[in-house]
Amino acid sequence: MKTIDELLTEGVAGRRVFVRADLNVPLDGTTITDDGRIRAVVPTVAKLAEAGARVVVASHLGRPKGAPDPAFSLAPAAARLGELLGADVAFATDTVGDSARATVAGLADGQVAVIENLRFNAGETSKDDAERGAFADRLAELADVYVGDGFGAVHRKHASVFDLPARLPHYAGYLIATEVGVLKKLTTDVQRPYAVVLGGAKVSDKLGVIDHLLERADRILIGGGMVFTFLAAQGHEVGSSLLQEDQIPVVKEYIERAKERGVEFVLPVDVLVAGEFPDMKTKAPANPATVAADAIPAGQMGLDIGPESRKLYASKLADTATVFWNGPMGVFEHPDYAEGTRAVAQALIDSPAFTVVGGGDSAAAVRILGFDENAFGHISTGGGASLEYLEGKTLPGLAALED
C-alpha cells in the first residue's frame, strides 16, 4: 500500500485530503475521558496541514442508529483535535449536507475541518452495497485524495473505510502504517518465546484468535471473565462467575490441542471473589476474598486474578521475547479489582520483550492505572482490528488501501 510519505512527495498543497480517522473516544456527557485515539491521528493530520493540504477529518463515534443523535456528536473530539494541533479546527454539523460542503469549501491551505459523525448517515454501515456506495459517492465529492488512518475501524466494511478509497487516490496514514508494521512482528518472523495474554469478559470473543495462536504462540495466559469457562472446562466449580457453558466443549478441545502442540495454557491459581458485582458508580469498597481458583464457593463470583496468580503471570512473562496483551484480568475500573491488570501491565514493562497492548480495554487500563504509555513497545488503537488481524482475517479497510 502507498503511504502518506509518498503522497507528500507528490505534493498536497491546495488539495482536499480526506482523513478517515478513529475519533471514537469515550465520553462522559461532552467530556472526553480518554483522548488516546485523537492523539494517535495528530501526526498524520499535522503533517498534511503543514504541507498545505486542506484536511477533512472524518470518523464514527459510538453506535447511533443511522440518524443524528447529539449524544454521539463529534464536536468534543473536534475541539480536542484543535487543542492538540494548536490551531482552529472547523466543524461541520452534518456529514455530506450543506454544512459539510460549506465547511470544506471554506478551508484555506493548511486548515483542518472535522465533519459530523459518519454513522449519522445510514449509508455508512449499510449491508447494502448500493446504499453504502451512494454515501461514499457523496463523501468523495468533499475530497481529492483519501488517507486511511482509522485503524480501529479497518475491520469494518463501511462506506468511509472500504468503499470511499476505491473512488479516490488512496494512501495509508502514519498510524495505520505503524499498526500494520507492529502486527507483522506478531505474525511473521516472531521472536520467541512468544506469549499472549488474553482477558476480557467473554471467551466467545476470543475463540478465533486462540484458534489461530495455538499454531503460533508458546504460551497463552488467560484472565478476565473468560477464564471461568476454562476453569469449568477443567471440571472446577465457578460459583456465580461469568460462564459461557455453550463454549465449554470448544475450550476443552483447545486445551487438548495446546497439550499436543506444546503450547502452555496458563490459568490463575487463585481469584478474588465477592457475592455481587461491585458498585461502579460510587466505587465503594468491595471487600473481596481470595480463594483457590479450583474452589470458588457457590454464590460467589470471580472478579480478578489473585495475588499468587499475579506472581505466576509475571514469571511467565519475564523471559519472553514477544508479548501481545488483549483484555484486562478483572474489573480493573474498580480499585479493589485492578491489581491483576496492574500486575500484567507492570510485567510487560519489566520484561525485555517487544510488548504490544492490543487496544480496547487494555489500552484504557494502561492509561487509567497511570502507566507511562512509552514504557510499552506499542499500544494499539484498535482492539477488534488487532484481534481479527491476528486471526488471519482479511480486514476490509486494509484491503481497500492496497493497490
Side-chain angles (χ1 to χ4, degrees):
M1 65 180 69
K2 292 183 179 179
T3 67
I4 186 176
D5 285 332
E6 293 173 84
L7 171 59
L8 291 166
T9 298
E10 296 169 11
V12 294
R15 302 172 76 185
R16 299 170 302 164
V17 180
F18 188 104
V19 177
R20 202 328 180 162
D22 180 7
L23 308 181
N24 184 29
V25 292
L27 293 172
D28 181 3
T30 59
T31 301
I32 297 169
T33 57
D34 181 355
D35 68 355
R37 285 176 169 166
I38 302 176
R39 287 186 283 113
V41 79
V42 166
T44 290
V45 174
K47 195 70 173 180
L48 289 168
E50 289 170 8
R54 303 178 182 192
V55 187
V56 182
V57 180
S59 176
H60 70 286
L61 192 152
R63 297 181 183 273
K65 306 298 184 181
D69 183 339
F72 298 105
S73 175
L74 278 175
R80 180 58 180 150
L81 178 61
E83 292 172 357
L84 292 168
L85 290 170
D88 291 336
V89 169
F91 181 67
T93 57
D94 56 28
T95 55
V96 290
D98 292 342
S99 179
R101 290 193 297 271
T103 300
V104 173
L107 289 176
D109 292 1
Q111 291 187 332
V112 179
V114 173
I115 62 174
E116 187 54 284
N117 191 337
L118 292 164
R119 292 185 183 174
F120 285 1
N121 189 303
E124 170 67 1
T125 60
S126 176
K127 303 293 186 185
D128 182 79
D129 291 348
E131 186 177 11
R132 272 200 336 274
F135 183 48
D137 287 339
R138 297 187 68 188
L139 289 172
E141 294 173 0
L142 300 175
D144 305 305
V145 181
Y146 178 92
V147 171
D149 215 30
F151 181 75
V154 294
H155 58 314
R156 307 296 188 190
K157 192 177 181 180
H158 291 169
S160 66
V161 175
F162 179 75
D163 301 272
L164 183 56
R167 289 157 168 78
L168 295 169
H170 45 270
Y171 304 80
Y174 290 126
L175 175 60
I176 279 187
T178 298
E179 294 272 13
V180 171
V182 166
L183 289 172
K184 285 181 176 178
K185 292 183 180 180
L186 301 178
T187 52
T188 58
D189 299 323
V190 179
Q191 298 297 305
R192 298 185 180 279
Y194 177 22
V196 177
V197 186
L198 296 175
K202 295 181 179 180
V203 68
S204 57
D205 293 340
K206 305 287 169 64
L207 289 178
V209 74
I210 293 173
D211 181 58
H212 203 66
L213 288 169
L214 282 172
E215 310 293 328
R216 292 161 178 80
D218 299 303
R219 295 174 196 151
I220 302 177
L221 288 65
I222 304 292
M226 63 186 285
V227 79
F228 301 106
T229 302
F230 277 85
L231 293 173
Q234 294 183 325
H236 302 312
E237 170 62 47
V238 297
S240 59
S241 305
L242 184 63
L243 173 64
Q244 291 186 284
E245 290 190 52
D246 60 325
Q247 302 297 333
I248 289 177
V250 181
V251 169
K252 285 183 176 179
E253 177 195 336
Y254 285 178
I255 291 173
E256 288 304 311
R257 279 176 56 197
K259 289 179 182 177
E260 293 170 3
R261 296 186 174 277
V263 178
E264 184 181 9
F265 260 122
V266 183
L267 300 177
V269 294
D270 59 351
V271 295
L272 299 187
V273 300
E276 59 184 5
F277 199 80
D279 188 326
M280 299 305 291
K281 289 186 177 179
T282 65
K283 306 290 176 73
N287 301 314
T290 301
V291 301
D294 60 358
I296 299 174
Q300 296 286 297
M301 64 176 67
L303 295 162
D304 193 14
I305 62 173
E308 293 305 313
S309 301
R310 296 172 213 152
K311 295 176 186 176
L312 172 65
Y313 284 27
S315 71
K316 295 295 183 180
L317 297 172
D319 66 344
T320 51
T322 305
V323 182
F324 173 72
W325 172 33
N326 182 284
M329 297 295 98
V331 187
F332 72 92
E333 300 92 339
H334 191 287
D336 286 353
Y337 302 107
E339 293 310 305
T341 302
R342 187 188 302 278
V344 165
Q346 187 61 54
L348 263 66
I349 291 173
D350 294 340
S351 169
F354 174 64
T355 57
V356 179
V357 180
D361 285 342
S362 307
V366 165
R367 298 181 183 109
I368 289 171
L369 297 177
F371 288 98
D372 179 2
E373 295 178 46
N374 295 320
F376 301 87
H378 178 70
I379 298 180
S380 178
T381 57
S386 295
L387 287 177
E388 291 198 16
Y389 190 99
L390 292 183
E391 286 179 44
K393 292 183 177 180
T394 297
L395 305 188
L398 297 184
L401 295 175
E402 298 286 353
D403 287 307

